[in-house]
Amino acid sequence: MLATGLGLLAAPRILRAQGAAFGSRPIEIVTHSGVGGGTDITARMVMVHAPAEFGTELVVVNKTGGSGAAALAYAAQRPKDGHTLLLMTQTHLITMLRSKTGTQLADLVGVARATEDPQVVMVRADSPLRSVDEFLSTGKSRALKFGITHVGSVDHVATVGFAKAAGIRPPTAVPFRGGGDIVINLVGGNIDAGLLNFAEAEAQIRAGEVRPLMVLSDERVSSLPDTPTAKETKIDYSSATTRGFAVMKGTPEDWVARLEQGLLKSMASPTYTAYLKSSGQASTSPAGRAVWQAQLEAFSNDSRQALADLGVAQ
């Protein structure tokens, strides 16, 4: 009887050590953006149909600060039981490369890609850089002023990469607080150009204050059907604000597979498809684990070299 009693007392401890059964509690989606930010909105759009796929509720946990470091630290402390999803962008990878967090890419497992938001080379409407040819010609004769969010940021890396691929002089990077400020200064004539997402400058494009010159994607986007891709202009370069889901390594493999399947089904819904179209993002954005993991690793490798070239690596 004593042995049986001890076994019964130990059972709850064993169950707790093994973690809760998948779907037994809400799934947290951890983002580094505040409420209303692009990543936060993406999470909430996925959540429209996800509860039906997973049989449990989903909640957004906004952990801002440290360019993704706070979100990474929070996700790393949660149980590895499939109930914590990190919705990450290239910003998290840059932060990891610059050693602002103990968590590194090797500690994460990509689950599914959610968005591919192509960056667009934009100039003000009355800019003397009226065409791609004029833009490239001028860029070869002098360093163009590009707005960026901050030194060593994702858009800073992309700006330098684009300039190299386009064969123009290394640009003069002018840092601002965010995409909105870049647009304001672009319209004001304080910078020559910016790499921006369609949604960041949609109002100014429709008002005729900003002119898109080329989209840094493999295909034209529905929001800018008349704007050529960089590849159409013989520039072999693409760049996008990419968001996708990941879990901490150690999460059971069968639960990772269930998360991947459920997320892809949720993102195949008409609601999510309409969201991608209305926000100017690629219709091919959703992708599975293999594609997303490879993309994370490729971006990390490319960014490591870019940061070293910029002199802002560790």
Side-chain angles (χ1 to χ4, degrees):
M1 290 295 294
L2 178 60
T4 302
L6 290 174
L8 290 172
L9 289 172
R13 296 180 182 178
I14 295 173
L15 289 174
R16 283 197 295 270
Q18 292 175 341
F22 183 79
S24 62
R25 61 183 176 85
I27 296 172
E28 294 185 339
I29 300 181
V30 185
T31 84
H32 71 303
S33 71
V35 176
T39 306
D40 177 78
I41 292 172
T42 298
R44 296 180 193 279
M45 294 306 299
V46 172
M47 285 168 52
V48 173
H49 291 280
E53 297 296 337
F54 293 120
T56 189
E57 293 300 311
L58 285 82
V59 295
V60 176
V61 178
N62 302 97
K63 292 292 180 180
T64 60
S67 297
L72 285 164
Y74 178 83
Q77 294 169 359
R78 303 296 292 161
K80 300 178 179 64
D81 60 3
H83 292 89
T84 303
L85 278 168
L86 178 67
L87 182 50
M88 61 187 297
T89 71
Q90 297 105 314
T91 295
H92 295 80
L93 297 176
I94 294 288
T95 296
M96 287 187 273
L97 289 170
R98 299 187 71 180
S99 299
K100 293 182 180 179
T101 172
T103 302
Q104 295 296 313
L105 182 56
D107 301 315
L108 297 168
V109 176
V111 179
R113 188 178 69 197
T115 69
E116 279 264 85
D117 196 353
Q119 291 186 301
V120 184
V121 179
M122 300 189 192
V123 298
R124 69 183 186 276
D126 61 350
S127 169
L129 309 176
R130 293 180 297 271
S131 67
V132 172
D133 288 341
E134 289 176 317
F135 181 89
L136 296 177
S137 177
T138 302
K140 290 176 181 177
S141 63
R142 67 175 176 87
L144 297 173
K145 291 182 180 179
F146 273 76
I148 63 168
T149 49
H150 62 265
V151 175
S153 62
V154 173
D155 54 330
H156 190 191
V157 169
T159 295
V160 172
F162 166 74
K164 184 176 181 179
I168 63 176
R169 292 191 178 188
T172 298
V174 184
F176 296 100
R177 290 179 299 179
D181 284 343
I182 294 175
V183 174
I184 290 171
N185 282 274
L186 185 59
V187 173
N190 298 319
I191 53 178
D192 295 307
L195 298 187
L196 296 157
N197 302 124
F198 170 76
E200 291 177 311
E202 180 179 4
Q204 289 78 12
I205 293 171
R206 298 195 186 283
E209 297 174 327
V210 169
R211 184 168 67 251
L213 281 185
M214 66 185 98
V215 182
L216 304 185
S217 62
D218 292 336
E219 299 178 356
R220 293 195 183 197
V221 294
S222 59
S223 54
L224 297 170
D226 298 325
T227 303
T229 66
K231 291 188 177 182
E232 287 179 67
T233 62
K234 310 304 181 185
I235 300 172
D236 188 14
Y237 189 78
S238 61
S239 179
T241 301
T242 308
R243 303 178 182 94
F245 296 93
V247 294
M248 299 302 299
K249 185 170 286 187
T251 301
E253 179 63 30
D254 57 334
W255 293 353
V256 176
R258 287 182 66 182
L259 286 168
E260 177 188 20
Q261 181 182 36
L263 288 168
L264 289 175
K265 286 184 177 180
S266 301
M267 292 187 288
S269 70
T271 301
Y272 193 78
T273 301
Y275 158 66
L276 291 176
K277 184 176 181 179
S278 65
S279 56
Q281 303 188 67
S283 61
T284 55
S285 289
R289 175 178 174 181
V291 170
W292 177 226
Q293 184 67 39
Q295 193 170 12
L296 286 171
E297 293 172 1
F299 184 84
S300 181
N301 291 334
D302 292 345
S303 296
R304 182 180 290 106
Q305 183 58 53
L307 290 172
D309 292 343
L310 289 170
V312 294
Q314 182 183 7

